[in-house]
Amino acid sequence: MILHQQLNSFIPDWDKKRGRTMRLLGIVIAIITSEALHAQTPSDGLMMPSKNICVLFSYDMGTFDRYWEGSYLRSNETIATVDRNMVLPMAAIGILDNLNFYVSLPFISTESSEPNGGFFTGARGFQDIGFALKYRPIRTDWGPGRISFLGTAGFSTPFTNYLSDYRPYSIGAGAPEFSLRAIAQYEFKNQLYFRASAAHLWRGYTEAERDYYYNDGSYYTAWMDVPNAWTYETILGKWLFDTSLKLELSYSSLTSTSGDDIRAYNAAQPTNKVEVDRLGFSAQYYFKSIKGLGVVAYHNRVIDGRNAPKMSNTGFGLTYQFSVIKKQTDEENAQ
């Protein structure tokens, strides 16, 4: 029996408390992973030098026990706390000093702190493989500091055939996504800096395990149109200890350009309109004694939303940067 039929078969026997569980199952739990990281990423103001590679390996822990049904914040007494963990390997490659390439592939697992009467279990698997190019056309002194303008083009697509309509345990939206991001950063001579960015996300269709759904009208198809979205981010940062430590405070938002609200006593779907406002803090330290090695830690908290979980997440990771040219030169000298 397909998942949609299973969900509908439970509704008549559930009491009001369990009916709220059905609403929770419609929450969009997958928030753009690249915005949760604070290392060398497609959305920051850093550039990898030519012929250099930086690899990141991070672990992220997210939890929530309340969610917005439309604009109304609800708590859930049946599922209790939902956990979402992510392991992310990512590489940044310096093609030119002002042109970088990125590739990432997160592994995500979800589960609930209570068994839900045996009806629902979590999910796990590789989510979406992502690629991005970041280009910095302008970096120049201006006034008491230096200004930079950057642009990023990204593309991601599901790496595995996961269930995108299995909420809140789905590991992703299950749709291809193309993004364009504009970034501006101004850094003062005391290494205090401000960064702002805006991006538009074009999303495709995802296939659900049902042949009918409602989205302000009846649709007799398994293909759901995942709404496009705008994202905005502002960052206040500071380099300390001779550029060994970087601290950042951030505010970010995501707003779908279309979509419907989670309907009462119904499992929602990838067509929902999602809005998220989030505050975050991050710290990244580069070891002077171990060239190329760094550590990163961050915490983010959703403060407002629509059809989204009130989630907080904490992560940490390791970064390592090395030069490809130096390795090739050493090998030639050894010969």
Side-chain angles (χ1 to χ4, degrees), residues 104 127-131 154-158 175-179 202:
S104 61
Q127 190 207 46
D128 302 341
I129 186 168
F131 307 94
F155 175 77
S156 65
T157 189
E177 177 183 287
F178 175 72
S179 64
W202 290 269

Side-chain angles (χ1 to χ4, degrees), residues 139-156:
R139 189 189 186 202
T140 184
D141 293 336
W142 189 51
R146 175 176 293 176
I147 191 169
S148 301
F149 293 98
L150 307 92
T152 300
F155 175 77
S156 65

Side-chain angles (χ1 to χ4, degrees), residues 7-204:
L7 293 178
N8 287 339
S9 67
F10 296 148
I11 294 177
D13 297 329
W14 282 22
D15 57 18
K16 186 175 181 181
K17 180 187 296 184
R18 292 186 176 180
R20 291 177 180 174
T21 302
M22 289 302 299
R23 296 195 294 268
L24 181 57
L25 292 174
I27 297 171
V28 175
I29 193 173
I31 301 175
I32 303 175
T33 55
S34 64
E35 293 189 353
L37 301 174
H38 296 274
Q40 169 65 274
T41 70
S43 61
D44 63 24
L46 299 176
M47 295 297 297
M48 188 64 51
S50 175
K51 306 302 187 296
N52 274 248
I53 298 176
C54 180
V55 293
L56 164 72
F57 187 82
S58 69
Y59 180 70
D60 184 281
M61 303 167 290
T63 63
F64 75 92
D65 57 8
R66 292 185 294 168
Y67 65 99
W68 284 276
E69 180 187 278
S71 59
Y72 182 72
L73 183 61
R74 289 189 180 275
S75 61
N76 186 274
E77 300 174 359
T78 303
I79 289 183
T81 300
V82 176
D83 298 317
R84 180 179 186 267
N85 300 317
M86 176 179 68
V87 176
L88 176 65
M90 184 173 67
I93 303 169
I95 301 175
L96 303 172
D97 287 343
N98 291 319
L99 181 64
N100 287 178
F101 174 75
Y102 300 83
V103 59
S104 61
L105 180 60
F107 182 91
I108 296 177
S109 64
T110 62
E111 62 181 359
S112 179
S113 61
E114 295 187 6
N116 312 311
F119 293 133
F120 301 105
T121 59
R124 62 177 55 210
F126 287 101
Q127 190 207 46
D128 302 341
I129 186 168
F131 307 94
L133 279 173
K134 182 167 66 176
Y135 178 60
R136 184 177 62 191
I138 298 175
R139 189 189 186 202
T140 184
D141 293 336
W142 189 51
R146 175 176 293 176
I147 191 169
S148 301
F149 293 98
L150 307 92
T152 300
F155 175 77
S156 65
T157 189
F159 190 75
T160 58
N161 190 28
Y162 58 82
L163 299 177
S164 60
D165 199 26
Y166 182 38
R167 311 294 174 147
Y169 304 115
S170 174
I171 64 174
E177 177 183 287
F178 175 72
S179 64
L180 287 177
R181 180 183 302 271
I183 307 168
Q185 177 168 296
Y186 190 84
E187 183 174 356
F188 295 92
K189 292 181 180 179
N190 63 358
Q191 295 187 316
L192 179 72
Y193 61 88
F194 175 80
R195 183 169 71 251
S197 67
H200 189 67
L201 315 178
W202 290 269
R203 281 133 169 199

Side-chain angles (χ1 to χ4, degrees), residues 196-268:
S197 67
H200 189 67
L201 315 178
W202 290 269
R203 281 133 169 199
Y205 288 82
T206 184
E207 186 176 10
E209 283 203 333
R210 48 174 161 156
D211 54 11
Y212 169 83
Y213 66 92
Y214 186 88
N215 175 16
D216 295 329
S218 296
Y219 290 81
Y220 294 90
T221 176
W223 292 97
M224 297 182 176
D225 188 2
V226 181
N228 299 334
W230 283 97
T231 66
Y232 304 94
E233 185 177 38
T234 56
I235 298 246
L236 179 64
K238 171 70 174 175
W239 288 96
L240 299 169
F241 306 122
D242 192 25
T243 67
S244 294
L245 177 64
K246 180 179 68 172
L247 303 177
E248 289 188 346
L249 290 173
S250 65
Y251 164 78
S252 61
S253 68
L254 179 145
T255 302
S256 298
T257 59
S258 62
D260 57 347
D261 286 328
I262 297 174
R263 294 186 295 147
Y265 300 97
N266 281 267

